[in-house]
Amino acid sequence: MGTSMNSQEFFKRWKQLGSEPSQEVQKIFGGKFPCDLEAISDVLRSSGMEIMEGIDPNPDNFVAGAILSTSTVLVGCLLRLEPNRQTEMYRLTVRSSDPLVSKQLVDMLSTQF
């Protein structure tokens, strides 16, 4: 389930989730497809993330969040995706309250671009 918040709330939660290094996973990777911002948006939304507009000063970057629900726990997740259209490279950073979820999200999403 996607989650939305304003810039101040996002950065407050981003810092909270970054207090433990294991909660953040970052990957830099080359894209399989040309960098299409609308297609990126579609992939993020279809994965259950809510894109938050106006959080990142770079309009090409994506900031998104979700609350993932398992049978026993809710896991808050935030991400920042920085596409570089000139080099067709991406930097994806995910922070969540569960280190395994951060890794799994990065592994899954990095194969979609």
Side-chain angles (χ1 to χ4, degrees):
M1 154 180 54
T3 186
S4 188
M5 59 193 78
N6 65 30
S7 179
Q8 183 178 5
E9 185 66 21
F10 174 84
F11 285 110
K12 177 183 171 189
R13 291 188 184 184
W14 184 259
K15 287 178 184 175
Q16 288 171 341
L17 289 173
S19 63
E20 293 290 325
S22 64
Q23 292 176 304
E24 177 180 295
V25 176
Q26 186 176 88
K27 185 174 185 176
I28 298 171
F29 57 95
K32 296 187 222 175
F33 310 104
C35 196
D36 177 339
L37 299 181
E38 190 169 320
I40 293 169
S41 180
D42 290 344
V43 167
L44 293 175
R45 284 193 176 99
S46 70
S47 69
M49 302 302 273
E50 177 75 25
I51 296 172
M52 297 176 233
E53 303 289 340
I55 303 287
D56 196 296
N58 182 337
D60 284 352
N61 292 348
F62 290 86
V63 172
I67 299 172
L68 305 178
S69 177
T70 71
S71 60
T72 58
V73 69
L74 296 175
V75 180
C77 305
L78 297 175
L79 74 75
R80 185 169 185 230
L81 179 64
E82 302 166 85
N84 184 320
R85 291 199 249 187
Q86 291 143 346
T87 63
E88 297 294 328
M89 298 288 291
Y90 297 84
R91 179 168 55 187
L92 174 61
T93 307
V94 175
R95 292 183 180 182
S96 80
S97 54
D98 184 318
L100 183 58
V101 170
S102 296
K103 181 176 179 349
Q104 289 176 332
L105 275 174
V106 166
D107 289 347
M108 178 194 71
L109 289 172
S110 64
T111 65
Q112 302 300 308
F113 305 107

